[in-house]
Amino acid sequence: MRILRAAMIGDVVGEPGLQALEEGLPKIIAENSVDIAIVNGENAAAGFGLDDAAFARILAAGADVVTSGNHVWEQRDFWQTLETDARVLRPANYPPPAAGRGWLRIEKAGAAWVVINAQGRELMTPIDCPFRGFDQIIAAACPADAPSAIVLVDFHAESTREKESFAYHADGRAAVVAGTHTHVQTADERVLPNGAAYITDLGMTGVLGAVLGMDAQICMDRARRQVLYRMEPAAQGSDAPKIQGIIAEIDADSGKALSIRRI
């Protein structure tokens, strides 16, 4: 049996998150013999969306693919990069003609990998169905006459029920289904019956001693006054930013997960 290791890293929030990623991801990759690293970068550009500078820093830190979510549209100048660079994904189930792509197939560490970015609809914008979208991507990316591939999914969603339902829908076809979006790491990591490693949320990369990586005072003012003050990433202060995510071990031959553990 040949074992491959995939790291999936939670939403990078602003400059503190970028700094934590730059310092910590190379160590995570080296110390855990990681074969492929997926990083969600949708909050990397000052807390809202992605820009070219943040994208370049995430790649330089060791990410092979950068996923995103509903905030990826915040920086309009980045839409051109979504169109031209296959290493950055937006949720696949945004309807056409949304910029960019939602999945890619790459070769790494002697294996084929399919990375899929999808977005939930419960308590979020009701875009196209992620379940049917996943089925269509698998049919296109993993045809019967092509070599098998290891499938990794970043499911960017609010609802725990929808995330777990999606994971069971993908079980047996995906090696990993990792939830993102809430910035709160969950403690329910497990391998499902047909070999998909699952966690409801990877967490975030940034200042944990804050509100979702954002300035706590601004978030409190929004909640108490019901005024939509613009949120800002929390200052680092005495709380050094952290990386959260998972590492999954995968059987390269079967494409099924053997284990999953939190970072």
Side-chain angles (χ1 to χ4, degrees), residues 40 64 69 71 113 136 144 174 186-187 206 211-212 229 244 250-252 257:
N40 188 296
D64 296 293
H71 288 300
W113 305 81
Q136 293 165 0
T186 55
V211 177
L212 309 182
Y229 302 108
Q244 293 183 320
I250 301 161
D251 179 352

Side-chain angles (χ1 to χ4, degrees), residues 39-53:
V39 176
N40 188 296
E42 73 145 1
N43 298 119
F48 296 94
L50 263 170
D51 59 20
D52 286 318

Side-chain angles (χ1 to χ4, degrees), residues 91-117:
N93 51 316
Y94 272 94
R101 71 209 76 206
W103 64 275
L104 83 162
R105 181 172 174 135
I106 62 173
E107 301 289 329
K108 186 92 192 298
W113 305 81
V114 172
V115 183
I116 300 172
N117 197 178

Side-chain angles (χ1 to χ4, degrees), residues 7-10 153-157 159-160 162-168 175-182 184-192 196-204 244-248 257 259-263:
M8 297 186 71
I9 305 300
V153 184
D154 176 338
F155 189 49
H156 196 79
S159 163
T160 299
E162 188 178 23
K163 286 178 174 179
E164 290 190 317
S165 297
F166 183 91
Y168 276 97
V176 183
V177 176
T180 57
H181 179 63
T182 72
V184 177
Q185 189 180 60
T186 55
D188 61 340
E189 71 277 11
R190 61 196 187 272
V191 178
L192 299 181
Y198 171 74
I199 188 169
T200 295
D201 205 282
L202 293 172
M204 53 161 273
Q244 293 183 320
I246 60 95
I247 293 176
S259 69
I260 177 173
R261 63 180 174 85
R262 278 177 284 151
I263 301 168

